[in-house]
Each structure stands twice: as C-alpha cells, then as structure tokens.
Amino acid sequence: MKWRIGLLVFLFGSLYAVLTFNLYNLQIKHGLIFATQAADQNRQSGLSIPNRGNIYFVDKDNRQIPAVLNKEFSIIYAVPTEIADSLETASQISAIVGQSVNALKEALSKPKSQYELLVYKASDDQIKQIQDLKVKGIYITKELLRFYPLGERASQVLGFVGPNQNDDGITGRYGIEAYFNDLLGGQTGQIQGDFIIKPKNGDDLVLTIDPNIQLEAEDILKNLVEEYKASAGMVIVEEPKTGKILAMNSVPSFDPNNYSNYSLSSFLNPVVQAVYEPGSVFKVLTMSAGIDSGKITPQTTYVDKGSVTYNGKTIQNFELKTYGKQTMTNVIENSINTGAVFAERQTGHETFYNYLKNFGLNVATGITLPGELKGNLSNLVNGKDINYATASFGQGVAVTPIEVINAIAAIANKGKLMKPYIVASEKPTVIRQVISENTANQVVQMMVSAVKVNKVADIKNYSVAAKTGTAFVPNFKTGGYTEDVINTYIGFAPAYDPRFIILFRIDKPAGAISAGRSVVPAFKKLAEFLLNYYNVAPDQLDNANH
C-alpha cells in the first residue's frame, strides 16, 4: 500500500515539475519572445493603433473643411518567420518595393519578427505585381493612414507623420502634426498580462486657417514667384485685432502625401523658423518709436543730402536719390533711408532699442508651431551709430516674418500687440500696449499717405495703409551684402478699422527689382479679394476719382 502512495506522489510530483518547467519556459525564459510576437500580431491586426485625430480649417461662416484625414490605403508587409530564403525573396521584390536587395534581406532575416513594413501607401501597380508573384511571407492589407486632401496647400503649416522610433506606430513630423502629436495621436493600446488595454483615439484639431483665403493667397504667391523667377516666397494673412492667422504659406513647398520625394529643407516653415533683414518696412516702427517718445512728429522736417556717414561707413538712399527738405511723412512716402536715420537719432539709441523690444522683435511670438525662432537685435547691443542707423531702415537686424507682421499689426490695432494664434480654440491675447492709440493713428495716416502717393496699392473707395521693404541679402561668406534683394510688402485695410493685415515677400527676384514693382500688385490683388470676401463696406467714398 505504501509503495502505491509513494508512486502516486512521485507521479504527481513529476507532473508538477514538468508543469513548473514549462511555465518557467513560457513566462520567464521565453516570455519576452512570446510577448514580442504577441505585440507584433497585435500590431499586425491594428488592434493597438489608435485612430489619429483629424485637422480642419474653418471659413468665415465657421464651416469646417478637412485639411488632414485618415484614409484607407494598401500596405505591403512581410512576415519574416514565414520566409525560408530571405535573399531570394528580397531579390524578387526589390524592384517592386523600391528597396535594395541587401536592406530587404536584413529586414526579412529577423528570426522573431512577424511584421516588417515594406511599402507605405502602395500603388495599384505595386499591389498587382506582388499579387502576381505570390511570394510566401509577403502580404497586402488595408490600413487607415494619413491623407492630405489639399495636397501642397499649407503643407509647411500642417507637416506630416512618419514611423515612430519603435516602428510600431506613427508620430508627427514637422508642423501642426508634430506640435500637437500627443493630442492628435491618442494613446496606443497595450497588452498587460492576459489583458488588452484598448487604444484611445486622438482628438480632432481645428485651425484658424480659412481655406478660401489660403487658396487665393497661395495662388497669387505662386504666380508672383514664377513671374519674377524668385528663389522663394511667402504670404501671411492675420487679423490685427485678434492675432488670428487666416493664411500662411511659403514656396517652395511639398506634398505631404508624398513627402519622401522632397528635400528636408522643404519641410521647414520659414515664416517662424527663419530670420531675415526686412528692409524698409521697418521704417514705420522707427517712426512709431520717435512719435510715441515725443521726439518727432509726422510734420518734423530735415534736409536730405542723399547720404550720411557714421563710423567710417556711408549710407545712401535707394537708387542714390537726393530729396532735399522733407517731413517724416515724406520719408515714409518716398522710403528715404537718411530720413529713417534722422528719426532714429532724434529718438535716441536706447529709446529706439527699447521700442523694438516692446514690439516683440527679440522674442518668439509663442505661436503654436514647432521650431519658432526669435529675432536678433544683438547688432544694437554694442551701441555703434552705424548699427542703429542701418537698423532704422531694417538692415543689420534680423526678424522672423511672423514677428514683423505681428509688430506692424500692433500699429493697425491702435498700439496693442497681440499674440498670434493658429488654433481656433485659443482666445485673443493682448501682450501689451506698445505705443499709444494717438501715435498709432498718426503712423497709420503716414502709411495711408504713402499708398496714395505711390498709387500701386491704392484701392478705390477704401483706405489702405502699407509699406514696402527692399533689403539686400547679406553675404555670409565675405561679409557685407550681395546684389540680391528680398522684397517685402506689409499692409492692412480698411486702414482705420482693419479687417486684415497681409505680408508678401519674395526672395532674390531676377534683376533685383524693387518691392514696389513686384510684391505690391500681389498685395493689392489679395486685399481686393479679402474686402470682397468679407463684404467690407467702403470707408473712403470720396476716393471715387482716384
């Protein structure tokens, strides 16, 4: 009897030992392997991947227009554990998937991998060729992927997505997709023991970009760059009273649906990620500082002799003109460099510098776009007269386009500097009162006078306030400046109750022509569109004979 009991104990003990050994193998020794395989299978099934939130533009009637969606695309992938000869398989599909044989062989040789992405958004031709080959371990499936229905429109604002570092999902690359990746991306599902935690889908995002304004602005900009064979260009439309961005675009641009076909430089947004010397648009800021500090008025006069010299360096007027006795309003009308220098010297270096800082030209604006740079006023820190002289007309200092349009928007907004914003859920934020309302009105009058005198941007029955800027491009190799120019025009309308402010800029137009000939007509065309689009009532009916 005892031997039977002993035998049973031995048998049950042996079974328990075997069970324990198997559990050890499954949970400890090979646990990571099986967990990885389970995760691969989960990834393959799509159960762990959340749906990314959509991005919308919104028009003047608050209608939302899709700018970024999720759309079903074909995917070509491999299951390496099913592939017997990775080299042969790689050789068969290399030309189809557009990867080298060596790279494919490495990917297909992973002994424990059950999912290797080969083609993201496969074409119909690729799908047919793979189907015809019938290669074991190579599969086709459908997945919800990012789709940009507007193509190149606002591409640098939107950005795009790409595989994340773990290659088990996607993440935002550049633009809004990157800045709001956590919001849009949601939370990936997880396997914890025997439990599956479902993914949490991402939230949608609505931008302030008006698709109608965006498309019109982009078309005008594209034609402008092509007409003058410029190397680049940009346009921004902002609402001065709120800081709301209505349109933003730069060329060259790219199609985020096929971003791999473009160079890395195409993805950066120079509106916020690059600084430049803006040229004479800066003169209205110089006048604002002088008038607000009580050092000059629009009627203050000086005698222009065509040039001034400081620290052994001579400044001349554009096209080497000499104007004689001029008021400060004349300086803006004729864009006289020596007049801006006079205004800055009357104001005083320290006061002038402080106003530039108050206009926000040495700090990032805080707009919710990635990689924003701040302006560079460091050339003024050493206090040399020549540096302040050139800064008075926008050379020797560098700003981002978003900084300079936002600074001049403060003049349009009765002296209040607003925080620019591009997400519709944000609220208008006043940063500070930079100049008094009275000063702002006087500077606006000077800008209106400049438009009337030069006529190119004048719009019948409307007051328009604007300023040109033609700045020479610095020579970063040898110092000084090249013969190339950057043309900028910033203006708003109606001048005394503005609905919008526009910045147009083109880089290195062929023949180095002035801004008055290039960007001003583009501004007028877009301004007329906006006045009509918003159905803005005329404010200057006595303008009928202009």
Side-chain angles (χ1 to χ4, degrees):
M1 185 72 178
K2 290 183 179 180
W3 67 268
R4 291 180 180 177
I5 295 173
L7 179 62
L8 288 173
V9 170
F10 173 78
L11 288 173
F12 280 111
S14 298
L15 289 172
Y16 181 79
V18 170
L19 179 61
T20 302
F21 179 75
N22 285 334
L23 285 173
Y24 171 80
N25 269 333
L26 286 171
Q27 296 184 2
I28 307 300
K29 187 175 180 180
H30 299 295
L32 182 59
I33 295 174
F34 292 125
T36 301
Q37 290 177 344
D40 282 343
Q41 291 172 346
N42 196 35
R43 165 66 177 84
Q44 183 178 332
S45 70
L47 294 175
S48 67
I49 307 301
N51 291 332
R52 196 169 175 87
N54 297 328
I55 302 175
Y56 297 91
F57 292 160
V58 60
D59 69 9
K60 65 176 182 178
D61 299 316
N62 288 320
R63 289 176 296 199
Q64 294 182 5
I65 289 83
V68 187
L69 299 171
N70 298 311
K71 180 181 176 181
E72 194 173 70
F73 287 91
S74 294
I75 298 293
I76 300 174
Y77 71 96
V79 180
T81 55
E82 298 181 8
I83 297 173
D85 190 331
S86 59
L87 178 58
E88 181 182 354
T89 302
S91 299
Q92 288 179 290
I93 68 172
S94 173
I96 301 173
V97 302
Q99 296 184 41
S100 70
V101 173
N102 289 337
L104 279 172
K105 181 180 181 299
E106 183 179 350
L108 301 179
S109 299
K110 298 177 181 178
K112 301 170 185 176
S113 174
Q114 294 193 3
Y115 184 90
E116 288 294 324
L117 177 64
L118 299 179
V119 180
Y120 187 74
K121 298 182 180 179
S123 67
D124 291 341
D125 186 51
Q126 288 174 311
I127 296 300
K128 185 178 185 307
Q129 290 184 68
I130 290 294
Q131 288 174 335
D132 291 344
L133 278 178
K134 298 178 181 178
V135 179
K136 183 174 176 57
I138 306 299
Y139 296 95
I140 299 165
T141 189
K142 298 280 189 179
E143 281 193 20
L144 281 178
L145 301 175
R146 223 51 173 155
F147 177 59
Y148 303 83
L150 301 178
E152 292 190 17
R153 305 290 188 176
S155 58
Q156 287 149 337
V157 171
L158 296 172
F160 56 87
V161 299
N164 62 24
Q165 290 182 340
N166 298 323
D167 200 26
D168 61 357
I170 58 173
T171 191
R173 309 284 187 188
Y174 302 96
I176 290 292
E177 290 273 38
Y179 195 95
F180 290 98
N181 184 65
D182 291 344
L183 175 77
L184 294 165
Q187 295 178 5
T188 303
Q190 297 177 355
I191 298 176
Q192 292 185 356
D194 296 332
F195 298 97
I196 294 178
I197 299 176
K198 293 182 179 180
K200 180 182 180 297
N201 291 334
D203 293 327
D204 293 340
L205 189 65
V206 181
L207 304 184
T208 60
I209 298 290
D210 185 310
N212 301 304
I213 300 174
Q214 182 75 27
L215 266 61
E216 183 71 14
E218 287 198 31
D219 288 343
I220 293 172
L221 177 64
K222 183 179 179 181
N223 292 333
L224 178 65
V225 169
E226 289 178 354
E227 180 180 358
Y228 292 101
K229 298 179 175 61
S231 64
M234 70 177 61
V235 60
I236 313 169
V237 183
E238 182 179 346
E239 197 172 76
K241 295 177 182 179
T242 64
K244 181 190 297 183
I245 301 299
L246 302 171
M248 181 184 291
N249 185 61
S250 301
V251 292
S253 59
F254 68 97
D255 184 350
N257 293 302
N258 302 292
Y259 64 83
S260 60
N261 296 331
Y262 298 83
S263 65
L264 184 65
S265 61
S266 301
F267 307 146
L268 299 176
N269 185 353
V271 171
V272 298
Q273 292 181 286
V275 296
Y276 81 116
E277 298 185 17
S280 291
V281 294
F282 228 65
K283 287 172 182 168
V284 297
L285 303 178
T286 301
M287 292 299 173
S288 296
I291 295 171
D292 200 63
S293 62
K295 303 298 183 181
I296 58 173
T297 71
Q299 293 75 40
T300 298
T301 60
Y302 87 113
V303 177
D304 169 47
K305 297 180 180 180
S307 66
V308 292
T309 301
Y310 296 106
N311 304 119
K313 296 183 179 180
T314 299
I315 293 170
Q316 296 177 312
N317 293 322
F318 193 69
E319 296 181 339
L320 307 180
K321 290 183 178 180
T322 301
Y323 293 88
K325 186 177 181 180
Q326 299 287 301
T327 66
M328 295 298 99
T329 296
N330 297 149
V331 169
I332 297 299
E333 291 171 347
N334 298 307
S335 198
I336 306 172
N337 289 344
T338 62
V341 174
F342 171 85
E344 190 282 325
R345 289 187 69 80
Q346 293 298 112
T347 303
H349 295 342
E350 183 178 357
T351 301
F352 173 69
Y353 180 48
N354 286 335
Y355 271 97
L356 296 187
K357 290 193 295 182
N358 285 335
F359 272 113
L361 299 176
N362 68 331
V363 294
T365 67
I367 190 170
T368 49
L369 288 169
E372 185 187 8
L373 299 181
K374 63 180 182 179
N376 184 357
L377 304 178
S378 62
N379 211 27
L380 303 181
V381 175
N382 62 26
K384 284 186 179 180
D385 288 343
I386 187 63
N387 294 343
Y388 280 95
T390 58
S392 71
F393 54 89
Q395 297 264 199
V397 290
V399 295
T400 62
I402 192 67
E403 281 178 326
V404 73
I405 190 176
N406 204 53
I408 295 178
I411 299 173
N413 190 35
K414 304 186 185 305
K416 290 188 181 71
L417 183 70
M418 306 298 294
K419 175 183 177 291
Y421 68 99
I422 200 167
V423 175
S425 60
E426 289 188 52
K427 302 298 181 185
T429 303
V430 178
I431 298 174
R432 59 182 159 270
Q433 186 84 29
V434 183
I435 55 176
S436 71
E437 183 174 340
N438 182 49
T439 297
N441 287 335
Q442 292 181 73
V443 177
V444 169
Q445 290 172 9
M446 297 167 79
M447 296 172 71
V448 169
S449 182
V451 171
K452 289 181 178 179
V453 166
N454 293 285
K455 295 184 170 55
V456 182
D458 203 11
I459 299 175
K460 184 178 180 181
N461 297 332
Y462 291 93
S463 60
V464 179
K467 183 68 188 75
T468 55
T470 300
F472 287 99
V473 177
N475 189 324
F476 296 105
K477 292 183 178 179
T478 62
Y481 291 88
T482 67
E483 294 299 317
D484 294 319
V485 297
I486 294 178
N487 291 339
T488 305
Y489 197 61
I490 302 178
F492 47 91
Y496 302 101
D497 186 21
R499 186 67 182 81
F500 56 83
I501 183 169
I502 300 170
L503 178 151
F504 265 108
R505 169 185 144 184
I506 58 173
D507 298 6
K508 303 179 182 180
I513 59 172
S514 68
R517 288 175 53 197
S518 61
V519 289
V520 178
F523 164 86
K524 181 177 180 179
K525 186 174 182 179
L526 183 56
E528 288 176 329
F529 168 84
L530 288 165
L531 291 168
N532 181 63
Y533 179 67
Y534 285 121
N535 196 25
V536 178
D539 68 332
Q540 297 287 307
L541 292 178
D542 59 343
N543 245 8
N545 296 322
H546 266 24

